[in-house]
Amino acid sequence: MDKHTERLAICLTSDERRALVAAAGTQHLSLSEFVRQSALSQAAEVLPDRQAFLPSADDWGAFTAALSAPRRDLPQLRALLDKPSVFNHRDRQS
């Protein structure tokens, strides 16, 4: 494990700090470790949607070939999409 050598300073209200200390305590973590783990967890959720993933030349070729291929009829998919959705029933009781 890499040694933590960088610092991050944040400003909090007293209530925010108390909430974080309480949450850290429930996890048996220091405030710093709790905030670090929480921030990294959030970063792991946010970043994948915002990074560029470039396919290899072979993958790009396969992708463009699939887009250019004639449309295939998929009866099971068509049947599924033709079924009424449970979200479209207006006569359902709430």
Side-chain angles (χ1 to χ4, degrees), residues 55-87:
S56 68
D58 288 342
D59 289 342
W60 183 252
F63 175 71
T64 57
L67 289 177
S68 300
R71 186 175 64 186
R72 295 184 308 158
D73 186 37
L74 302 170
Q76 291 176 323
L77 180 59
R78 181 171 304 286
L80 177 66
L81 295 175
D82 286 342
K83 282 176 129 178
S85 168
V86 296
F87 298 109

Side-chain angles (χ1 to χ4, degrees), residues 88-93:
N88 292 339
H89 292 290
R90 290 194 175 128
D91 57 359
R92 290 183 60 199
Q93 299 287 328

Side-chain angles (χ1 to χ4, degrees), residues 2 5 11 19 23 28 33 39-42 44 58 60 73 75 79 91:
D2 291 337
T5 59
C11 294
H28 306 290
E33 186 61 19
L40 289 171
S41 176
Q42 182 65 25
D58 288 342
W60 183 252
D73 186 37
D91 57 359

Side-chain angles (χ1 to χ4, degrees), residues 20-35 37:
L20 290 174
V21 168
T26 66
Q27 302 294 307
H28 306 290
L29 296 171
S30 68
L31 175 58
S32 292
E33 186 61 19
F34 178 78
V35 170
Q37 286 183 11

Side-chain angles (χ1 to χ4, degrees), residues 12-13 17-19 23 26 36 53 55 69 71 73 76-77 84 94:
L12 303 168
T13 66
R17 187 177 199 295
R18 275 193 294 276
T26 66
R36 188 178 73 80
F53 296 97
R71 186 175 64 186
D73 186 37
Q76 291 176 323
L77 180 59
S94 295

Side-chain angles (χ1 to χ4, degrees), residues 38-52:
S38 298
L40 289 171
S41 176
Q42 182 65 25
E45 285 187 33
V46 170
L47 287 176
D49 291 341
R50 293 179 173 66
Q51 294 180 350

